[in-house]
Amino acid sequence: AQTVTQSQPEMSVQEAETVTLSCTYDTSESDYYLFWYKQPPSRQMILVIRQEAYKQQNATENRFSVNFQKAAKSFSLKISDSQLGDAAMYFCAKNSGGSNYKLTFGKGTLLTVNP
Amino acid sequence: DAGVIQSPRHEVTEMGQEVTLRCKPISGHDYLFWYRQTMMRGLELLIYFNNNVPIDDSGMPEDRFSAKMPNASFSTLKIQPSEPRDSAVYFCASSLMGRPNYGYTFGSGTRLTVV
């Protein structure tokens, strides 16, 4: 079974500072996709950023960027210029590149942003 | 686009009662997923459908759980009889075939409390 591991149950950051959330995964595939989802207190799951494993370039979406290390099976999320609205639970997730569309999630990291 | 619509948003029921959760996927999406979220187990995939056909129900915890998708615009997850350990947030998500790299669009979830 695929596993996705988020080793930081909780993290905190000062407003306007940068924070990095860690994620590692287990896979024998060469083609797959990785995602970070944000879940604020409203509990809505919001897609933050995605990365295709065959692309070496790290994905970036405004203040959100990833550090994708394929050999190390690592996929960390960097949030720059943190804002109070970034406070949420963040989930790392992975699915397969083939016909298996199941998305496997990590246990999540609760991010607190301090003013 | 109204997104994935789930109802009810909250459900409180007594142990032994039947519970039905409903989901309307995004129009045109041909994959539909049911997830359960608890503090202990995180986000677990229960079952998913492709073109209204159940593809993988290995995550359904036991026979008390059943899911149907009678047409492309509606799915239900039923628990009969319900038990307190079924208390969780249940998410429905949909996706478009051939675009797993775009991730899923989630509904806002149903918080189920069984007393």
Side-chain angles (χ1 to χ4, degrees), chain A:
Chain A
Q2 299 184 84
T3 58
V4 177
T5 303
Q6 294 179 247
S7 58
Q8 307 152 315
E10 297 184 23
M11 291 282 285
S12 64
V13 64
Q14 290 296 126
E15 196 175 3
E17 297 295 310
T18 296
V19 64
T20 298
L21 308 183
S22 301
C23 173
T24 59
Y25 55 92
D26 180 29
T27 187
S28 59
E29 302 159 322
S30 59
D31 186 22
Y32 49 89
Y33 303 93
L34 298 162
F35 307 87
W36 279 97
Y37 279 87
K38 170 185 178 181
Q39 186 179 40
S42 67
R43 81 170 181 245
Q44 180 72 49
M45 294 287 286
I46 302 165
L47 180 62
V48 174
I49 197 166
R50 66 178 74 89
Q51 174 78 42
E52 298 169 57
Y54 67 87
K55 289 187 176 180
Q56 295 195 0
Q57 185 174 6
N58 289 323
T60 299
E61 290 285 344
N62 300 315
R63 297 182 296 106
F64 299 86
S65 62
V66 300
N67 183 5
F68 173 49
Q69 301 289 328
K70 191 173 184 179
K73 299 178 184 175
S74 171
F75 181 61
S76 61
L77 174 69
K78 185 171 82 171
I79 306 174
S80 304
D81 186 23
S82 297
Q83 301 176 0
L84 296 177
D86 295 333
M89 183 73 85
Y90 286 82
F91 293 95
C92 178
K94 172 188 177 294
N95 73 358
S96 299
S99 60
N100 179 357
Y101 292 145
K102 290 196 286 190
L103 200 59
T104 301
F105 286 87
K107 290 294 180 69
T109 297
L110 180 62
L111 178 66
T112 301
V113 181
N114 300 310

Side-chain angles (χ1 to χ4, degrees), chain B residues 13-47:
Chain B
T13 191
E14 292 185 348
M15 182 175 62
Q17 297 298 306
E18 177 180 295
V19 176
T20 300
L21 311 181
R22 297 172 175 80
C23 175
K24 176 179 170 56
I26 291 175
S27 178
H29 280 192
D30 50 5
Y31 278 84
L32 183 138
F33 306 82
W34 282 100
Y35 279 84
R36 178 172 68 176
Q37 184 179 31
T38 60
M39 288 293 292
M40 290 297 294
R41 301 175 68 89
L43 280 152
E44 304 173 277
L45 177 64
L46 300 178
I47 185 171

Side-chain angles (χ1 to χ4, degrees), chain B residues 21-88:
Chain B
L21 311 181
R22 297 172 175 80
C23 175
K24 176 179 170 56
I26 291 175
S27 178
H29 280 192
D30 50 5
Y31 278 84
L32 183 138
F33 306 82
W34 282 100
Y35 279 84
R36 178 172 68 176
Q37 184 179 31
T38 60
M39 288 293 292
M40 290 297 294
R41 301 175 68 89
L43 280 152
E44 304 173 277
L45 177 64
L46 300 178
I47 185 171
Y48 76 96
F49 296 82
N50 175 219
N51 290 325
N52 314 337
V53 176
I55 301 301
D56 185 345
D57 66 354
S58 60
M60 296 286 262
E62 48 197 278
D63 292 345
R64 298 184 296 106
F65 286 69
S66 62
K68 294 182 179 180
M69 192 166 185
N71 57 61
S73 59
F74 184 66
S75 177
T76 59
L77 178 67
K78 185 176 294 186
I79 307 172
Q80 166 63 18
S82 58
E83 296 182 3
R85 60 193 169 118
D86 301 331
S87 298

